Amino acid sequence: MAGESVLANLHFGREDAERDVTDGLLLRGGFLSTNATRAAVSGRKMLIIGRKGSGKSAICMRLMADGVHGGGKVLITPDDAAGDEIRRFELQGLPGDSAKSLIWRYVFAVNAARHLVAHAAEEHGRKAASVKALRRFLKQNDELPSDYPGDRLGDRLAQGARGLQTALSLEAFGFKAGVELAHAPSEGARAARQLDVVERGVADAFAELDCAAAHEPLLLLVDQLEQVWSVEPESNSMVIGLLLAAKHAAGLYGQAVRCLLFLRADIYDSLSFGEGDKFHGDELRIVWTEHALRELALARARASTGDAGLSAERLWREIFPEIVRGEDIAAFIFSRCLPRPRDAIQFLNLCQETAWLTHGRDRITDTDVLQASRQFSAWKLKDLAQEYLIAHPFLERLFPLFQNTGYVVSRAALGSRFGEAAQTLHRLFPAYAEALTPSGAIDILYSVGFLGVRRGNDVVFAGGGELAVQPHETEFHVHPCFREALGATSAIDLRRFEPVVAGDRIASGNTGFGGAGNTGVSREYRLLAELTRSCHSILSQVGRAVGMAQDARDELTQQIGRVLTDASATRPQGGGGYDTASRLLTTAHYFTTLAAQLRASGLDDTTGAGSVAQRIEDEARRLRRMAGGAYGSSGDSGGR
């Protein structure tokens, strides 16, 4: 297959699983089976938890596809009307969580009953007495499936809520609700008793058909709950009620029914309720590694091009450039994404579109990747603010604290920057004033993946159950995904060294060096040797600063290396020695600026940054004395 046709057909999929299914890519081999998928299919886990874009809906859509699961499948995705109905649902005599668990139990029972009415004839070839009772119940309560568009979850929920709050028609089960519930102690108790009757009828039908032994269980999948969630207590009760209802259904229906809930991590982690500890064994958190994302990219590349034999070697060496800015291409791309499929898909597609649509190339170049990287970074910074707009509406206002500076920031430096913005933040977001402190901002920025924390020689970002930021931790790194959008592409904000150009001189205040018995040329060579010595001395100090972030050390090493390279390439001019003296004075001035920037970066002295800054300042003074420049020749004057 020609390179041009490969790039033209190359596509890594849609950002949302629903359109991926519609396009067919998700079903044509573009789906990567993971531990989360296997745990969901096997029934070992009930709660699939992950960040936005982590692939929860992809697993859900995969399970809904034909041939993946042999049992029945019902997908429940609340719309605004349904969410509003659940949030407003109340029962006198029951706390909010318990009341909302009843409405969810009703949803599960009705969907299971509707499934059984169709399933009994299709799969078992008969309609048992218990199934006939379910059909009568559905008909009497207007819950039979409808072919017209008005058959919406929100409408049926409203109807079910009214039934639970007043009286359902239970004659199908030989139960006269009006008479037998007349003495219920509360509205909540009456609703619970009605629901028990309905659920018992559903359980009897499963048992009579022997569904648990005959075939795979009915899947009740709940997805996209984030569409109807807010930070209000009623929303949290809605989710807690769902969890309680799913746990109840698992115990009631046994192996005949399996509930799978796909929840966003920030929503699940915000919940606090007495029975929360009972769900830990049901949790499975989606965590993506770089290796898994590489496999996903290859699977989707193969599916989109129709080339099942496409190798990783060809994808990352021929279609994509092998190296970008000295990094392996795959490492470059996936290190600049948050670890989730949606981000990887967007970045990879943007690289393809930049090369093929924008520049008309037959392969992707490093220039295309770098151009895509800038656009992608801007997208992701905006997307992060939108992702957490409900929980952290102030998030976007924190980003300027990191603009046009180094991406390594200390707790002290961040505290200083935050102090300047605190008054405005508290005025704009008074309800969040308690959280809007320097420590609170660090905790939030870490939890959303914007900041990583340095632990030993590693920088750890949230996402895989990592420990929260500890009070003693002082060094943080902006995630590579957001650095270009913020203009924070260097570890610390250091001025780049510009080599001295012939003819550019800084007045030394001296017309000679007065070194008796020395010629001008030998003097210039000696000055250049001292400049080289200063560079090596600073580099040696940087090497000993083992507590400093490796990226910051690399940045310092790079800038000092530029000075050293310039000095090594220099040939003395002879004559009065002005060129070499000017070079030393220019370098000394640069060193002074470098030391000031290093101190201003706020890196903790315990990292060795203070010692490096001191060594740079010492070498700057020494170079001025050697040059005999206008800054003076004494140690004190040289420090100005």
Side-chain angles (χ1 to χ4, degrees):
M1 187 178 296
E4 184 176 359
S5 62
V6 169
L7 193 59
N9 293 321
L10 183 65
H11 187 61
F12 295 92
R14 301 290 186 180
E15 291 91 341
D16 56 287
E18 292 77 15
R19 284 201 299 163
D20 248 354
V21 169
T22 302
D23 290 352
L25 182 61
L26 189 68
L27 307 179
R28 290 201 312 269
F31 181 82
L32 181 68
S33 181
T34 63
N35 289 335
T37 312
R38 290 185 282 273
V41 171
S42 68
R44 294 180 182 176
K45 300 294 181 180
M46 182 179 74
L47 306 178
I48 310 301
I49 302 164
R51 283 192 63 168
K52 180 180 180 181
S54 61
K56 302 183 302 298
S57 291
I59 296 174
C60 183
M61 292 295 102
R62 182 67 175 174
L63 289 172
M64 288 296 295
D66 292 337
V68 176
H69 175 75
K73 293 165 283 194
V74 177
L75 177 60
I76 302 169
T77 54
D79 56 13
D80 289 337
D84 188 55
E85 198 63 52
I86 297 173
R87 283 194 299 268
R88 291 190 291 108
F89 184 73
E90 296 177 345
L91 290 169
Q92 180 268 323
L94 286 181
D97 298 352
S98 298
K100 289 172 177 57
S101 75
L102 293 189
I103 191 68
W104 279 114
R105 283 169 56 186
Y106 179 79
V107 170
F108 291 159
V110 167
N111 276 287
R114 296 172 85 174
H115 163 75
L116 281 166
V117 167
H119 168 76
E122 294 172 0
E123 299 295 329
H124 295 270
R126 63 191 178 95
K127 287 190 177 179
S130 56
V131 176
K132 293 177 182 178
L134 288 181
R135 192 179 193 287
R136 287 197 300 273
F137 163 77
L138 293 174
K139 184 176 182 180
Q140 290 165 358
N141 290 277
D142 293 327
E143 291 284 7
L144 281 173
S146 172
D147 294 330
Y148 66 91
D151 183 31
R152 293 168 49 220
L153 177 61
D155 298 331
R156 290 188 282 109
L157 265 173
Q159 187 168 287
R162 285 192 297 272
L164 288 173
Q165 289 169 330
T166 55
L168 292 168
S169 177
L170 302 175
E171 288 82 357
F173 304 114
F175 189 89
K176 298 198 178 293
V179 175
E180 300 186 36
L181 296 177
H183 301 293
S186 68
E187 185 181 59
R190 184 174 66 248
R193 289 183 184 178
Q194 291 189 94
L195 191 54
D196 285 342
V197 173
V198 177
E199 290 178 327
R200 188 164 60 247
V202 173
D204 287 346
F206 277 122
E208 187 175 352
L209 294 174
D210 197 21
C211 287
H215 51 71
E216 292 186 81
L218 167 67
L219 289 185
L220 296 175
L221 304 102
V222 182
D223 192 23
Q224 298 186 13
L225 205 66
E226 64 270 15
Q227 302 297 329
V228 295
W229 179 82
S230 70
V231 292
E232 302 302 322
E234 292 79 8
S235 280
N236 282 344
S237 285
M238 173 181 66
V239 182
I240 293 170
L242 172 63
L243 296 173
L244 296 174
K247 179 75 79 173
H248 175 83
L252 176 67
Y253 302 124
Q255 298 299 313
V257 175
R258 185 188 305 157
C259 293
L260 276 174
L261 315 182
F262 299 87
L263 299 177
R264 243 174 60 176
D266 56 318
I267 295 177
Y268 184 73
D269 292 339
S270 71
L271 304 178
S272 178
F273 62 111
E275 296 188 60
D277 60 330
K278 296 180 181 179
F279 290 87
H280 294 322
D282 292 312
E283 299 173 7
L284 188 140
R285 292 183 180 262
I286 300 176
V287 178
W288 285 88
T289 63
E290 180 182 318
H291 176 72
L293 290 173
R294 287 187 186 220
E295 288 191 335
L296 176 69
L298 183 59
R300 286 174 170 255
R302 287 170 173 170
S304 64
T305 60
D307 184 358
L310 180 66
S311 66
E313 179 76 16
R314 188 176 173 209
L315 177 64
W316 302 120
R317 298 294 181 269
E318 297 179 20
I319 300 175
F320 278 84
E322 184 173 355
I323 301 293
V324 176
R325 283 186 181 164
E327 289 186 61
D328 172 81
I329 177 60
F332 181 93
I333 288 176
F334 296 122
S335 68
R336 283 158 179 77
C337 299
L338 293 181
R340 52 189 181 185
R342 182 173 298 169
D343 284 24
I345 288 169
Q346 288 178 339
F347 196 175
L348 291 165
N349 280 338
L350 188 56
C351 291
Q352 185 271 347
E353 291 166 7
T354 303
W356 184 57
L357 294 179
T358 304
H359 299 298
R361 307 190 209 277
D362 59 5
R363 67 183 304 273
I364 301 168
T365 68
D366 58 346
T367 303
D368 298 321
V369 175
L370 292 173
Q371 182 177 335
S373 177
R374 291 188 290 272
Q375 176 66 69
F376 179 74
S377 183
W379 282 354
K380 291 296 104 181
L381 191 65
K382 182 178 179 180
D383 289 348
L384 188 69
Q386 291 299 312
E387 180 178 349
Y388 291 96
L389 186 61
I390 295 176
H392 307 306
F394 50 81
L395 190 60
E396 189 173 17
R397 297 279 182 163
L398 298 179
F399 297 158
L401 302 179
F402 304 90
Q403 277 185 316
N404 302 317
T405 185
Y407 59 77
V408 178
V409 60
S410 70
R411 188 182 289 272
L414 185 54
S416 177
R417 297 177 200 173
F418 187 88
E420 298 175 4
Q423 185 175 355
T424 300
L425 288 168
H426 291 167
R427 177 175 55 81
L428 293 174
F429 305 98
Y432 298 86
E434 290 187 8
L436 286 171
T437 64
S439 293
I442 288 171
D443 290 341
I444 291 167
L445 291 168
Y446 174 75
S447 69
V448 302
F450 180 85
L451 283 183
V453 59
R454 186 181 178 199
R455 290 177 178 153
N457 293 324
D458 296 323
V459 177
V460 177
F461 291 91
E466 290 82 1
L467 187 68
V469 174
Q470 301 301 295
H472 68 274
E473 293 175 321
T474 60
E475 183 179 306
F476 307 97
H477 292 227
V478 176
H479 194 285
C481 181
F482 310 110
R483 292 173 188 173
E484 288 200 72
L486 292 166
T489 55
S490 299
I492 47 181
D493 189 18
L494 300 180
R495 199 187 97 195
R496 179 184 175 90
F497 175 73
E498 298 297 338
V500 177
V501 179
D504 290 349
R505 300 180 179 181
I506 299 177
S508 66
N510 245 331
T511 57
F513 299 97
N518 289 327
T519 66
V521 172
S522 63
R523 170 69 170 174
E524 290 187 15
Y525 272 115
R526 191 158 68 86
L527 290 179
L528 285 173
E530 292 299 330
L531 176 55
T532 299
R533 174 189 162 193
S534 290
C535 290
H536 284 299
S537 178
I538 295 170
L539 289 173
S540 178
Q541 191 70 50
V542 171
R544 294 196 295 275
V546 293
M548 191 186 303
Q550 186 62 51
D551 288 355
R553 292 165 64 191
D554 290 345
E555 183 72 21
L556 280 165
T557 300
Q558 181 182 17
Q559 297 307 329
I560 300 301
R562 287 175 58 83
V563 178
L564 189 59
T565 299
D566 181 57
S568 300
T570 298
R571 293 291 180 269
Q573 301 297 313
Y578 290 151
D579 284 346
T580 308
S582 296
R583 186 178 300 277
L584 260 66
L585 291 172
T586 298
T587 304
H589 182 67
Y590 173 71
F591 281 173
T592 301
T593 302
L594 200 65
Q597 289 175 316
L598 183 56
R599 292 190 186 281
S601 71
L603 293 180
D604 197 317
D605 282 349
T606 60
T607 66
S611 298
V612 173
Q614 184 64 55
R615 176 54 57 98
I616 294 173
E617 289 169 340
D618 289 346
E619 293 303 324
R621 285 192 290 269
R622 195 178 72 82
L623 290 178
R624 290 192 186 100
R625 288 198 301 271
M626 293 299 300
Y631 287 90
S633 59
S634 71
D636 293 337
S637 62
R640 291 180 298 181

